[in-house]
Amino acid sequence: MRYKDAPAAIEWLCDALGFERRLVVPDDGGGIAHAQLTFGNGMIMLGSDRDDAFGSVQRAPASADAVVTQSVYLIVDDPDAHYRRAVDAGAQVVMPIRDEDYGGRGFTIRDPGGHVWTLGSYDPWADG
């Protein structure tokens, strides 16, 4: 994932969603060359938006309300607590917390960088 302000994104993702820093490598311009953040047994990798080979195929959303072509789903034990935490941290609520017809409870937010996240208790791994 790329962010226009990756240092701020890392802070927000840790504070609002509960990610933990595994590795954060600053670049020479005050941004992030590469970061690894963990959430349970999962991990995301992110960095600052920049013009390089990967940047030619992936950029941060154009604005905080831009349409995006992909999003992340995080399985959580307590969606209501995560919802309160994210809202308290200033997340833009895209879809409020709700019980899903297919099982589980969840919500969808947008982070300050414009990326869309869904957090919920539905676990597709437990279904099979």
Side-chain angles (χ1 to χ4, degrees):
M1 302 176 80
R2 294 282 173 104
Y3 282 89
K4 291 179 182 172
D5 186 348
I10 290 168
E11 291 297 319
W12 193 88
L13 291 167
C14 293
D15 292 343
L17 300 185
F19 278 92
E20 295 182 10
R21 292 165 186 81
R22 181 173 187 273
L23 175 69
V24 177
V25 180
D27 65 21
D28 294 334
I32 302 296
H34 177 75
Q36 299 171 358
L37 304 181
T38 59
F39 188 92
N41 63 356
M43 178 188 299
I44 62 167
M45 292 185 277
L46 65 93
S48 295
D49 213 10
R50 59 187 175 275
D51 291 322
D52 60 8
F54 192 69
S56 69
V57 297
Q58 185 174 37
R59 293 208 166 277
S63 64
D65 62 352
V67 173
V68 297
T69 61
Q70 56 190 327
S71 63
V72 178
Y73 179 78
L74 300 175
I75 301 167
V76 297
D77 291 331
D78 188 347
D80 291 277
H82 276 84
Y83 183 76
R84 286 188 301 276
R85 181 177 180 170
V87 169
D88 288 349
Q92 176 191 354
V93 176
V94 176
M95 300 173 82
I97 193 153
R98 67 210 173 275
D99 293 321
E100 299 291 359
D101 293 339
Y102 52 82
R105 183 166 173 78
F107 61 95
T108 302
I109 57 164
R110 187 183 289 269
D111 70 23
H115 291 282
V116 174
W117 300 81
T118 300
L119 288 80
S121 59
Y122 174 70
D123 183 349
W125 295 108
D127 194 28

